[in-house]
Amino acid sequence: MFHAPFPILGLSGGIAAGKSFVASRLAAMGWAVIDADALAREAVVPGSEGLREVAAAFGPAALRADGCLDRAWVGAHVFSDDAARTKLNAILHPRIEALLDTRLRDLPAGTRGAILDAALWVERGIAHHFDAFWTVDAPEELRLARLMARDGLDRAAALARLRAQAAPAERALHADLVIANDGRDLAGFLQQAEATLLSNWKVRRKRTWRPTMPVPFSADQLRDVLTSLLSRGGDYGEIFVERRRAHALGMDDGRMEDVLASETFGASLRLVDGDTTRFADLIAPTFDELMASAGTLAAPGHGSPATIPALAVKVFPTPSPVAQDPGQVPLADKVALVRKAETIAREHAEVLRPGALKQVAIGYGDSTQRVWIAAAEHKQGAWSGSLAEDHRTQVVLRANVTAGDGTQLQTGYQPLGETRGFELFTDEAVTSMVQEAVRLAIQALDAQPAPAGTFPVVLSSSAGGTMIHEACGHGLEADLALAGMSSFAGKLGQKVAAEGVTIIDDGTLPHKRGSQAIDDEGNPVSRVVLIENGILKAYLQSRKTSRRMEVEPTGNGRRESYRHLPIPRMRNTFLAAGSEAPEAILRDLDRGLLVKHMGGGQVDTVTGNFVFQVTEGYWVENGVPKYPVKNATLSGCGPDVLRGLTRIGSDLHHFDIGTCGKDGQGVPVSDALPTILCPALVVGGTAEPMPSVM
């Protein structure tokens, strides 16, 4: 995107939410508005290359008698056919972006700011490309009424168009500002929002579009290594260079027991020749050592040498701008943070139940990883070369609290972590996290043994997406599907879940633990719709699996470090929000379990069968939580749960964080779900069994 000398605001919103109305108000304040819908129309004017491509892709029915695009026919066609919509977007989006770039360049330097108005910035995975991203929302019934009146649609057709876009709760995860366009006066609100944007856009842009970092090896050297690597044939060659710094502190009952620091530098080489992959990793290599290793990997080959062009440097924005690099924060400040967390825990425990606190363990960690990925690929009869980079920052603070009453001990655990800098640890955030850990531990002392049986279970949004990640997400990774080790193998295009169930993996979510600018193969991260309204749409792909399935990589090729091969991995995986009020879902539960926090568990990816621990749960009768339970587990089958979901809440705000293990590798991830009703799960408990509800 052209870096204009004025702020660039991405503006979005669902159909009929009123983003054009908001854009007009900002235009009256002096902002230039570039409407992507207008550019889409310009891209297919009569006689244009865009119109010829659309006609070739969709046939003569896409054109009116006068030769213009039949927008009504195309709209009806693509909204009912996901493949057709993807095909149309592939034709239009590059042309729209080229026109958009031209419009930005044509604006005078003294422009107050530019608004890029489009409905699909989130769906296209580029909401983080702007100096700020705002989204406009309105109640669904109001949007339906507007859309039906505007386009002459019946309710079912209007609702289908609303459902084809990201839910408001998902757009809000990306947004710096959510504008409620429900009839209220927005003048003062927009003036204040504009003042904030004008005051910080330069800092935001600098952090999002970070300047390129010095590569340990020059682009010419990396090209020489790739040339040697592919000197005896191959389809793809890659150099992955990594420099990482990490710090960790551990305090147990006031004693600082761990103070660790590490720094690593290494590189790996990968050569793909048909179905064969050759790999080598080197600790702190020199250029000569890289060349020697490349020659060793190339030696078994019998093909022709590659002619690799100069490496094209690719720059990608980060979805997680960092304000305070934790690597530059003095150790004393990190120690003070850990001590403050421990003090908060002890003080809050005395308020809740004097004398109940038995142990407090606080852990802190940070990691700053810089990667450079040089690659050469043979595709469509020609070689290409690229060099991409990323700077990834992770911080986390964990509180583990133990409480007792003389007869039992119970624990409470809470983490606070994001792809953010040390600025994450505000007083409010730290206090909230630690007090929640204390609350969980002390509340568990009064919990009653969980009943055993098969019951309806309401999973609250606060429970996180452990079930989605473990019982469903792994089965949607392409390598497991290709190996037949997934319950979703061979089911693309088939109904695998209930209507309304949409599962998404998104590496572009701002500051979420699985977010980054590129994956570990140099591909830009993306938003991948895996299941849409119950239909299996895609798998998570690495470069290797995408070649086998003849699709494009999805930006999910991830590795723990330079010592590992990239494999398909989740990033931030979630069940998309529905339209029901979460309070209504709970209110209608006659008898069953409400789960507010989930723990660890086990899953069989082939069958989807799972067993998870419940760390905070409540027995519910007549829609009211009666008492907290302890020692509860949930058992079931992930695909069966997806097929049986009947109620999905509109809330989507809490992402659990963790490190996902697979094939001996661990990578940072997060997961979430809205409040949902599972009509029947097996609840394991130590109380007397109760009659099951089926």
Side-chain angles (χ1 to χ4, degrees):
M1 181 180 294
F2 171 60
H3 288 179
F6 44 77
I8 298 175
L9 169 64
L11 182 66
S12 191
I15 294 176
K19 62 182 177 59
S20 296
F21 171 80
V22 172
S24 68
R25 293 296 179 269
L26 290 168
M29 297 163 63
W31 285 68
V33 178
I34 302 175
D35 185 350
D37 291 338
L39 297 183
R41 289 189 289 271
E42 185 176 339
V44 290
V45 295
S48 67
E49 181 63 30
L51 185 61
R52 283 192 290 272
E53 276 204 46
V54 171
F58 294 95
L63 302 180
R64 299 196 316 236
D66 60 2
C68 293
L69 183 70
D70 189 335
R71 301 183 67 83
W73 183 91
V74 171
H77 190 63
V78 302
F79 272 105
S80 61
D81 186 334
D82 185 66
R85 188 162 71 244
T86 300
K87 185 189 301 184
L88 181 66
N89 289 340
I91 295 171
L92 293 184
H93 286 169
R95 290 173 169 80
I96 294 171
E97 288 173 4
L99 289 169
L100 187 153
D101 199 63
T102 299
R103 296 293 188 277
L104 281 175
R105 292 178 185 276
D106 288 345
L107 291 174
T111 299
R112 187 175 184 84
I115 300 165
L116 307 188
D117 177 0
L120 302 179
W121 295 134
V122 168
E123 289 86 338
R124 292 173 59 189
I126 58 175
H128 62 295
H129 286 214
F130 310 109
D131 299 322
F133 178 67
W134 296 357
T135 183
V136 184
D137 192 21
E140 184 174 273
E141 287 301 318
L142 178 58
R143 293 172 60 201
L144 282 171
R146 291 171 178 170
L147 185 57
M148 293 163 65
R150 187 189 75 185
D151 293 355
L153 302 173
D154 61 26
R155 183 180 177 85
L159 193 60
R161 295 204 174 190
L162 260 63
R163 295 287 186 264
Q165 295 182 331
E170 183 187 351
R171 277 194 298 271
L173 294 172
H174 293 264
D176 300 290
L177 181 70
V178 177
I179 302 169
N181 183 31
D182 53 6
R184 72 186 70 183
D185 183 7
L186 296 176
F189 180 83
L190 291 177
Q191 287 176 356
Q192 183 176 358
E194 183 208 34
T196 301
L197 172 56
L198 292 175
S199 70
N200 66 15
W201 70 270
K202 291 182 180 179
V203 173
R204 168 73 175 267
R205 179 181 293 180
K206 185 177 180 181
R207 291 172 180 167
T208 299
W209 296 88
R210 292 168 297 201
T212 56
M213 299 168 287
V215 188
F217 307 99
S218 72
D220 287 341
Q221 286 178 318
L222 294 172
R223 179 173 175 270
D224 289 344
V225 175
L226 289 172
T227 299
S228 175
L229 184 64
L230 295 161
S231 61
R232 296 176 62 86
D235 307 308
Y236 175 77
E238 173 192 271
I239 310 165
F240 181 88
V241 182
E242 175 188 19
R243 190 184 300 277
R244 187 195 297 261
R245 297 181 64 191
H247 304 87
L249 303 176
M251 175 178 283
D252 194 346
D253 273 347
R255 300 183 303 275
M256 191 66 72
E257 297 191 342
D258 298 304
V259 180
L260 306 174
S262 64
E263 183 165 353
T264 58
F265 169 57
S268 61
L269 304 178
R270 179 165 57 134
L271 170 62
V272 178
D273 189 357
D275 293 331
T276 301
T277 297
R278 298 194 283 275
F279 179 81
D281 63 272
L282 302 91
I283 300 174
T286 64
F287 171 67
D288 290 341
E289 289 171 334
L290 284 178
M291 288 292 289
S293 184
T296 300
L297 291 181
H302 300 286
S304 302
T307 303
I308 302 171
L311 301 184
V313 177
K314 297 183 177 181
V315 179
F316 300 98
T318 177
S320 304
V322 170
Q324 190 177 10
D325 183 349
Q328 304 301 316
V329 174
L331 176 61
D333 291 356
K334 298 173 183 178
V335 171
L337 171 64
V338 171
R339 291 193 183 281
K340 179 174 72 173
E342 207 237 9
T343 299
I344 292 170
R346 294 191 177 280
E347 291 177 348
H348 191 57
E350 284 302 299
V351 171
L352 294 183
R353 185 174 297 187
L357 186 68
K358 302 304 178 185
Q359 186 179 30
V360 179
I362 305 292
Y364 166 88
D366 65 54
S367 171
T368 302
Q369 181 197 34
R370 298 185 177 186
V371 301
W372 298 266
I373 303 166
E377 184 172 22
H378 190 257
K379 213 171 186 180
Q380 298 178 342
W383 282 96
S384 63
S386 63
L387 176 58
E389 63 177 288
D390 199 4
H391 184 177
R392 305 159 182 173
T393 302
Q394 296 271 355
V395 293
V396 65
L397 184 69
R398 298 181 175 92
N400 203 319
V401 177
T402 303
D405 60 7
T407 61
Q408 61 175 325
L409 294 174
Q410 297 291 341
T411 61
Y413 169 78
Q414 282 290 287
L416 173 62
E418 289 189 348
T419 50
R420 202 186 289 267
F422 202 73
E423 70 273 10
L424 173 63
F425 302 118
T426 63
D427 289 344
E428 180 181 3
V430 173
T431 299
S432 176
M433 182 273 289
V434 174
Q435 289 185 348
E436 179 68 356
V438 173
R439 183 191 70 81
L440 290 172
I442 291 180
Q443 176 178 277
L445 295 175
D446 298 325
Q448 300 181 32
T454 301
F455 307 110
V457 174
V458 171
L459 290 178
S460 168
S461 180
S462 63
T466 300
M467 181 178 295
I468 298 300
H469 176 99
E470 294 289 359
C472 307
H474 279 298
L476 296 168
E477 293 168 337
D479 54 345
L480 295 180
L482 284 166
M485 297 177 64
S486 163
S487 55
F488 298 105
K491 295 183 179 179
L492 278 175
Q494 297 182 28
K495 192 173 185 65
V496 296
E499 184 73 22
V501 171
T502 295
I503 295 180
I504 297 167
D505 184 83
D506 192 345
T508 75
L509 286 172
H511 300 294
K512 293 296 180 281
R513 186 165 163 83
S515 296
Q516 50 201 46
I518 57 175
D519 72 358
D520 292 321
E521 299 181 295
N523 300 303
V525 291
S526 63
R527 172 185 182 267
V528 184
V529 179
L530 299 163
I531 297 173
E532 184 176 41
N533 285 325
I535 306 299
L536 181 60
K537 295 291 187 178
Y539 299 112
L540 300 177
Q541 303 283 354
S542 66
R543 185 177 297 274
K544 180 178 180 180
T545 60
S546 68
R547 278 174 167 257
R548 291 182 60 186
M549 288 191 167
E550 298 182 341
V551 296
E552 291 298 313
T554 57
N556 289 85
R558 305 185 68 192
R559 59 182 112 197
E560 180 177 323
S561 74
Y562 69 91
R563 295 183 175 182
H564 302 85
L565 279 166
I567 53 178
R569 305 297 300 273
M570 285 175 279
R571 299 162 305 186
N572 308 298
T573 313
F574 59 94
L575 174 66
S579 58
E580 289 209 58
E583 300 84 3
I585 296 176
L586 176 61
R587 186 170 58 245
D588 292 343
L589 179 61
D590 290 334
R591 186 163 66 100
L593 194 67
L594 167 65
V595 177
K596 301 197 74 172
H597 283 92
M598 295 275 282
Q602 296 178 331
V603 63
D604 181 343
T605 61
V606 177
T607 63
N609 292 331
F610 63 81
V611 178
F612 295 130
Q613 296 176 335
V614 175
T615 55
E616 183 185 12
Y618 299 85
W619 183 250
V620 176
E621 293 180 4
N622 298 318
V624 178
K626 289 296 185 180
Y627 54 84
V629 300
K630 59 185 176 182
N631 303 325
T633 62
L634 298 179
S635 303
C637 174
D640 288 347
V641 169
L642 294 184
R643 285 190 289 267
L645 288 184
T646 56
R647 307 189 67 176
I648 303 175
S650 59
D651 53 338
L652 183 69
H653 52 79
H654 175 77
F655 277 73
D656 267 355
I657 67 171
T659 299
C660 175
K662 177 183 173 183
D663 291 356
Q665 300 189 44
V667 295
V669 296
S670 72
D671 45 60
L673 49 68
T675 297
I676 60 173
L677 171 65
C678 303
L681 288 180
V682 177
V683 177
T686 56
E688 290 294 323
M690 298 181 66
S692 296
V693 178
M694 295 298 292

